[in-house]
Structures are given as C-alpha cells and as structure tokens.
Amino acid sequence: MKVLASARLAHADAHGIDLELPDGAVFQVQVLEPTLMRVRYRPAAGYKETRTWAIAPQAGRDVAWQGRPRDALDGFGCPAAQLTQTPEQITLNTGSLSMTLRPEPLMLSWADDRGRPLVHDRGTSAYFTSKRTGAVRHYLQRDRAERYYGLGDKTGPLNLHGRRLRTLALDSLGYDPKQGDPLYKHWPFVLSRAPTGAWYGIYYDTLCACTFDLGCEHDNYHDLFRYVEVDDGDLDYYLMSGATPAEVIAQFVRLIGGTQLPPRWSLGYAQTAMGLADAPDAQQQLDHFISRIGTEGIPCSSFHYGSGYSSRGKRRHVFTWNNSKFPDPKTLNARFHRSGMHVVANIKPCLLDDHPAFDAVRAQGGFIHDVHSGQPVIEQFWDGVGSHLDFTHPAVVAWWQNSLKAQVLDFGIDVGWNDNNEYAVMDDDARCHGFGEALPMHRTRPLHGLLMTRASVEAQRAHSGDARAPVYSVTRGGPPGLQRYAQTWTGDNTTSWDTVRWNLRTGLQMSLSGMFNIGHDVGGFAGPSPGPELFVRWVQACCLNPRMVMNSWKADGTTNVPWLHPAVTPHVAAAIRLRYLLMPYLWSLFEQAHQRHQPIIRPTFYDFPDDEACFTDCDDFMLGDALLVAPVVEEGATSRRVYLPHGPEAWYDFANGQRFEAGSTPTVPAPLGTLPLFARTGAAIPVAETAAGTARHDDPVTGIRRFG
C-alpha cells in the first residue's frame, strides 16, 4: 500500500480545508455542525461510491431511492469555524470541536470543547491506498485506556478494544454468541471513550466490507495504533464529539435519518416458529395455537409466519402459498385478527431457479447479473440455487411491491418480515442495475437489504390507505439507514446459557450503534430445546427488550411456545405480563428513541458515564433512564449480585419497594419466577393493569408507580 505522506494546501477557510496530493487526488476536511466534521479522500479518477443511502440529516426527509450525491450538503448547518494557520499546521475550531491538520506527513488530531484530546491519526503514517486491491486504510493512534463500542451486531464484551472485526454481512445461523463475527449487519460506526473521559464517534460512510483492527495488530516501527481498511471503496468519514455517550449516539442517529416510530401493537409479545408453518397440517397447527394461547390467558399481539407457508418440500418460493398446508389462509388470518393478533409473514429476496416467476423477472433484467454475459448470477440459497433480486432496479421494486400486495397483504397479512437479505453474493463479476448506473456487488451488498425493506414498508403504507399511519416492518440485514424503516434482531441464535448472556451484550452493542428497536429469538432459534430453567430465564432476560419474539427451529420438532414446559408456564406467563404491565413506559421510550435519538435499552454507563464501576462488564442494563434490569443468566442461581450506580439518591426494588443505597452491590433473591428490577429515586412509572390474556396497547395507563 502507498502512504499519503505529503499534501499541498489548495484552499482553507472557516468552513473547511482542501489539500491536493501529488497524484491529483484531493483530501478534504469540512465543518458540518459545531460538533461534527467530515473527512474524505477523493481519488483523481473520482469517487468509487458516488452516492450514499445512509446520510439523511434533513428531519422528515428520506434519501432518494437512487441515493444522495456524496458531496451533497443539504441538511447541514455548515457553521464558520475559527481558522488558524502556521507553516506547520492548520486548525479549525468551532468552539465545540477542534481539528488540527498537519500536511506532511498528513495527520489530523482532534480535541473537544474543553481542549481535551479526543483522538489523533497515527503520527508515522495514517492514510494508505492500494492500487493492487483498491483498498484504503485509516490508521489512528491507540491508547490502552480507550474504550471502543459500536459496529452493530457484534458479540462478546461491550468494550471491543483488542479485537479485529469485520462489517461483512452473512447468514450466520448457529454463530458463536461470544466470539462469532461477522453477523448480519454492515455497520461501520465506532463509539469511543477517550482516556480523558470525553466521547466521540467515527462513522465511515461506505457500503464496502470493512475490517476494524481495534488493537489486535502490532508493529514495532509504530506506537500503539488501530485502523480501518475499506475494501475497494472510498474513505469518507464523519467525526462527532460529545460530553456523554448519549450526545454522540444522538448525533449519529440524526445523521443517518433517525428512528422509525412503529405502531403501538408492535411493542407486544409475538410468537413464531418455523416448525409450525413447515408442518404438513400447518393451518390446523396455527388454528390450535390461537385457541391455546387464549386458554392459557397469555397476551400475544402478533404472530409471525415462518417461510413454510411458501415451501415445497425444503424449497421456499416467496410470494406463493402451499395450499395443501394452508387450504384457506384468509380465514385463518381473519381468526388471528379477531383474536387480537396482527399477522407478519416471512419474505425472502432470492428466487430459486424453479420459482414460477423466475423467467418473468429474468426477462426484466431483475436479478443480480454477470457483467459479461448479462445473465443472472446463480448461487446457493437454502436448499437449492437461485438468483437474488436487484433492488436497485425500479422494475424489481415494482414487481416486489405488487407481489407483496397480491400474495401477502391481500391475504389478510399485515406485515412483510424481510429475511435472509444479507446478499452474500461473492462473484467478483456480479453487478446490479444501480438505477441506471451499474454498480459492482462488492460495493452494494448491504444496500439491497436496505432497499428491500424500504420497498416492503412503502407497499404496506400504500395498502393501508393512510400515508401518515405508522408502519411496522422487520429486517435481519442492512446498513445504517435500516432503522428508518424497521425493527431488527440478532438473528439465528443457538440455545445455550452462553447465548442468553452474550446476546444481551450484542443487543446493547446494537443500541450503542444507533439501532434501538432490537431483540433476540427468545429460547434460542437453533440447537436443542431449552430446559425449563433456561427457558424461564431467557424469557425474563428478553421480556423488557424493545422486541420480544419467541422463535425457533428445532431438529427434534419441538417449538418454543409459552407452554413448552407446563411446570414453568406460570413463570413464563408472568414475565410476558410484566411487559404488558410496563407497556405505557415502554411506549414512552419508543417515543424518546424517535424524537430524541435515545436508545431504549442501554448499558448502565450510558446514563451514568461518570461512575467508573459501570464500565465493568456485567449482565445488567437500563430500560430507559428509570429502570435497571438485572437478568439471571447463570444456571442454578437463586440470587443475584447487582451493582446499583451512583447518581440517584437510592434505588428501589420494583416489586416490593425495598430501598438500596446508590453505589452499593446488594445480593438480592432471584428464585426462578423472579426478574430483579430496580427503579431509581424519583422514578414515576406509568403501568397498565389489565385482565389476564389481554394485550392492550393504546394508552392503557391505569396507574403510576412512584419511587422515593
């Protein structure tokens, strides 16, 4: 790789700096907001990625389907900074964020509003390009005391310092919950805490796969460093600063367009299982589920069809119905609605080579295609081979939306569940339409998951007839921007005690990354059936996550349902009812996520960043700023040590009102039916006391629980 070692000043003013490199490339720094600056490298031949679908800083305005020009400044304030120049360096200071540039060797350093150092480029060499591979690298100096978070659905402890991770989305069924990487999202955003206690974030705006080395690599000729490598794309990054993690995360989420406010019913408990829709008598099985959940008196707000409704043997044909398994799906869906449940159906973006619509879509040029032959790229997909739909082709978007309406929405199903949309197309010759400007797949893989979800959401909104009504959707894959449209989750996990513990961390990591409406497959998707104790603890651990969906696919044919183990069904039901009890509070957190860009669940250090003890890796999390949740994730445990942060005057047991000193670490009883839950002094929690089996969502406030 070649280092960008020297640069000539071409222009500098209060809004930014332009440098010219010896090969004709341009290096730019722009002031976008008082705490937000942008750095980009434009090769002499121009950007490789000329458009972005992530950057959407204008509130209420989405990115055009064909993307936003990379150099666009719409939505940014672009204030004037104080410019200071000497022969050795140039400084831009907004009063809230300061950047100093040294042209030879090219290096940037950053400080906050108090002059505290945030981060600086590696002094020996910071920016590299490769003619051989097309990759670009950005090296930063590293301090052992720094903490790194973010990067989306990452596994393991929250502090990512010392790890090497990739943003390459894959279908990761059965992943290791502590060390597995990559998973389903492409999310090149890092949130950092400097040794001074200051916070900053860096977002690399690229759709190309990235490698983030956060302290794994070491080279004797340089001091401690970290780096990101972008695979044959552009180096275009946004650096934002703040006094707290909350300030930085909110800036990032504003930058990428905010968070969708879903309909209230989507906050309720939901049920799905591949085995139910895969069964030969699937309609009868689902009819029985409706009766059973009513008999058990367990509230349930929606049912999610697995893809079995479209299967022929093991092969899945999206937008078709297997009428031998579902002889009268409209009647079944009407019964779901009468029972108070909305209906969601799994949809997939790949047509197997024997799909009845394959030839028609191919005739429209609607598949990811080979650049030489123009023919669809055919690769492995589930139990067959097929071609992925090209969501950068307007004809495909129209076909998808018409098919969703005719074969899903018109059947009485409310929502499309966008699944298997990681687009793991590895063919180097694969191209997509690019809205008339052909794009290589290695630069657009995550984009298709984003646009697939957008297409589904827009079709659902049109079908509802109310352009202002909130729309619920869900997607497994995608890049920054997906939170504008849909809920997401940690994918196809495996049943184990380790998964419960480490999935909690992954959910918190996603929240720190700007994905707020998240959850997990309760009980474990793959692997063995959970035993009674594990099942109860899993339900408790997830019952206060933004998404609560019980999902499974078990080789032995069992299904994760609330009555899986009759002896503990009362405990499972109690945890689900706790969710509905707290529904008004939970809804207020969704509103805050939408309006104020605040995560719904978050690690304790988010709310108490000055309490060093909160940075210790633990199983606890905050639900909003008022409640601390302490799930039990150890087999056989009947008590739980929990650290209650400094900040409030005291903490109170939510169930019995017992008072605990802030900063204490009590051991509290946690028998199998108990989820330890604590409220801070001054908390006023709206609750909804409803009859057993009732799933209410629309302002069902029946009281306020006050603490202290």
Side-chain angles (χ1 to χ4, degrees):
M1 302 187 83
K2 184 176 181 180
V3 63
L4 306 182
S6 60
R8 183 183 68 82
L9 178 64
H11 176 78
D13 62 25
H15 299 284
I17 302 167
D18 291 357
L19 301 177
E20 289 184 357
L21 299 168
D23 62 355
V26 175
F27 189 90
Q28 293 181 310
V29 180
Q30 285 181 305
V31 180
L32 300 180
E33 301 292 351
T35 55
L36 176 67
M37 294 192 196
R38 180 185 183 189
V39 179
R40 52 189 167 163
Y41 165 75
R42 187 174 70 238
Y47 295 122
K48 296 176 182 177
E49 302 173 84
T50 60
R51 293 167 280 173
T52 174
W53 284 261
I55 305 302
Q58 293 172 286
R61 289 188 58 182
D62 204 348
V63 180
W65 267 90
Q66 64 269 28
R68 171 187 170 103
R70 186 159 291 278
D71 286 335
L73 291 174
D74 310 59
F76 295 117
C78 300
Q82 180 181 353
L83 176 70
T84 305
Q85 289 184 252
T86 70
E88 293 78 27
Q89 62 186 36
I90 309 169
T91 297
L92 288 169
N93 190 338
T94 69
S96 300
L97 177 64
S98 174
M99 185 283 310
T100 298
L101 182 151
R102 189 178 70 191
E104 194 165 344
L106 182 56
M107 187 192 82
L108 309 182
S109 59
W110 306 81
D112 70 2
D113 58 342
R114 294 159 57 181
R116 297 181 299 177
L118 292 174
V119 64
H120 58 89
D121 289 339
R122 190 174 72 173
T124 51
S125 48
Y127 299 94
F128 287 77
T129 63
S130 172
K131 287 185 178 180
R132 180 177 60 85
T133 66
V136 289
R137 278 194 187 185
H138 176 207
Y139 283 86
L140 293 158
Q141 208 73 18
R142 178 171 59 88
D143 190 295
R144 287 189 173 92
E146 285 179 305
R147 297 179 179 274
Y148 308 131
Y149 308 96
L151 292 179
D153 50 351
K154 296 306 178 189
T155 57
L158 288 180
N159 185 5
L160 300 174
H161 197 137
R163 295 186 66 185
R164 180 183 288 130
L165 300 154
R166 301 177 73 199
T167 61
L168 173 69
L170 296 174
D171 185 336
S172 305
L173 171 65
Y175 60 87
D176 184 312
K178 184 178 180 181
Q179 299 179 352
D181 182 71
L183 298 190
Y184 302 90
K185 313 294 188 296
H186 167 85
W187 211 268
F189 168 73
V190 178
L191 170 71
S192 301
R193 182 180 187 258
T196 60
W199 291 83
Y200 66 95
I202 302 179
Y203 170 56
Y204 294 87
D205 185 21
T206 177
L207 288 165
C208 292
C210 299
T211 299
F212 285 82
D213 189 303
L214 300 176
C216 190
E217 185 172 301
H218 182 75
D219 185 337
N220 179 56
Y221 298 110
H222 306 275
D223 200 353
L224 298 177
F225 61 84
R226 60 183 172 109
Y227 69 83
V228 58
E229 178 174 300
V230 180
D231 176 22
D232 196 24
D234 288 311
L235 182 67
D236 183 358
Y237 69 88
Y238 295 76
L239 189 143
M240 58 216 75
S241 65
T244 65
E247 291 182 8
V248 176
I249 294 167
Q251 284 187 78
F252 174 58
V253 176
R254 280 196 299 270
L255 178 68
I256 60 174
T259 299
Q260 176 218 38
L261 185 67
R264 287 176 182 251
W265 65 261
S266 68
L267 277 62
Y269 162 68
Q271 177 69 53
T272 183
M274 276 187 61
L276 294 177
D278 279 357
D281 58 344
Q283 182 160 337
Q284 185 177 342
Q285 295 261 9
L286 298 189
D287 203 63
H288 175 71
F289 170 82
I290 297 171
S291 298
R292 182 68 182 271
I293 202 156
T295 301
E296 296 287 345
I298 296 173
C300 184
S301 298
S302 62
F303 185 87
H304 295 217
Y305 275 82
S307 58
Y309 73 95
S310 66
S311 66
R312 304 294 187 278
K314 292 185 176 181
R315 297 169 74 87
R316 320 268 158 164
H317 296 147
V318 66
F319 301 140
T320 69
W321 283 88
N322 183 327
N323 294 119
S324 66
K325 295 194 297 180
F326 290 89
D328 189 3
K330 292 183 179 180
T331 296
L332 175 63
N333 294 332
R335 188 178 177 213
F336 271 118
H337 286 135
R338 288 195 304 273
S339 300
M341 286 180 270
H342 287 75
V343 189
V344 180
N346 186 286
I347 48 180
K348 303 184 188 301
C350 185
L351 303 191
L352 296 180
D353 57 2
D354 62 347
H355 192 287
F358 190 92
D359 290 339
V361 173
R362 176 169 53 187
Q364 297 181 60
F367 292 118
I368 305 302
H369 63 273
D370 181 276
V371 67
H372 304 296
S373 69
Q375 293 301 306
V377 172
I378 295 179
E379 295 193 343
Q380 186 69 35
F381 188 80
W382 277 54
D383 292 289
V385 295
S387 295
H388 280 79
L389 294 164
D390 181 356
F391 282 93
T392 68
H393 197 310
V396 169
V397 174
W399 177 87
W400 179 266
Q401 292 179 327
N402 291 335
S403 299
L404 180 64
K405 177 183 181 299
Q407 296 298 324
V408 176
L409 303 179
D410 285 351
F411 274 69
I413 290 172
D414 304 288
V415 172
W417 160 13
N418 303 278
D419 200 14
N420 299 97
N421 54 354
E422 293 75 31
Y423 273 71
V425 178
M426 300 299 184
D427 190 328
D428 287 339
D429 292 325
R431 295 291 186 275
C432 62
H433 180 267
F435 300 99
E437 183 183 327
L439 300 171
M441 274 303 292
H442 71 272
R443 296 196 191 120
T444 56
R445 287 181 56 211
L447 175 62
H448 293 275
L450 179 74
L451 296 182
M452 171 191 179
T453 306
R454 179 174 181 172
S456 300
V457 166
E458 292 187 1
Q460 289 169 211
R461 181 172 287 116
H463 191 264
S464 75
D466 186 349
R468 294 175 298 177
V471 175
Y472 169 70
S473 190
V474 59
T475 182
R476 194 173 72 177
L482 72 81
Q483 82 295 329
R484 300 195 295 258
Y485 312 117
Q487 179 186 82
T488 190
W489 83 108
T490 50
D492 295 341
N493 57 9
T494 300
T495 300
S496 71
W497 283 95
D498 271 353
T499 299
V500 181
R501 164 168 279 155
W502 295 110
N503 267 186
L504 287 173
R505 310 293 202 286
T506 300
L508 294 173
Q509 199 76 270
M510 292 164 75
S511 292
L512 294 173
S513 302
M515 283 179 272
F516 301 154
N517 191 353
I518 56 92
H520 318 282
D521 279 351
V522 179
F525 179 75
S529 181
E533 181 191 5
L534 175 56
F535 189 52
V536 171
R537 294 307 193 188
W538 209 315
V539 173
Q540 291 172 344
C542 295
C543 71
L544 297 179
N545 275 214
R547 166 185 166 97
M548 186 189 183
V549 178
M550 196 173 288
N551 187 21
S552 60
W553 172 71
K554 304 299 184 186
D556 64 2
T558 59
T559 297
N560 292 346
V561 287
W563 47 88
L564 175 63
H565 299 292
V568 298
T569 297
H571 297 325
V572 172
I576 294 172
R577 290 180 190 128
L578 175 63
R579 182 178 186 86
Y580 285 91
L581 176 74
L582 291 171
M583 187 66 70
Y585 177 66
L586 190 59
W587 175 250
S588 73
L589 301 183
F590 271 78
E591 290 182 315
Q592 291 173 31
H594 174 67
Q595 297 165 2
R596 303 177 189 173
H597 314 301
Q598 296 176 354
I600 296 163
I601 60 170
R602 55 263 201 145
T604 55
F605 67 71
Y606 175 93
D607 290 281
F608 307 102
D610 295 326
D611 186 341
E612 286 295 324
C614 288
F615 291 95
T616 302
D617 191 65
C618 69
D619 304 313
D620 311 333
F621 62 90
M622 296 295 295
L623 178 65
D625 65 356
L627 294 178
L628 188 154
V629 188
V632 177
V633 296
E634 292 184 3
E635 186 174 7
T638 57
S639 63
R640 174 73 155 76
R641 280 175 56 85
V642 55
Y643 176 70
L644 301 172
H646 287 288
E649 179 182 318
W651 293 85
Y652 297 84
D653 187 296
F654 183 82
N656 61 31
Q658 182 179 356
R659 185 182 190 276
F660 298 92
E661 292 296 324
S664 65
T665 309
T667 297
V668 298
L672 186 57
T674 298
L675 170 65
L677 180 63
F678 303 88
R680 63 189 294 171
T681 299
I685 309 297
V687 296
E689 302 276 5
T690 57
T694 303
R696 292 193 56 192
H697 314 101
D698 298 327
D699 291 321
V701 178
T702 59
I704 304 290
R705 295 199 182 178
R706 302 183 186 276
F707 298 86

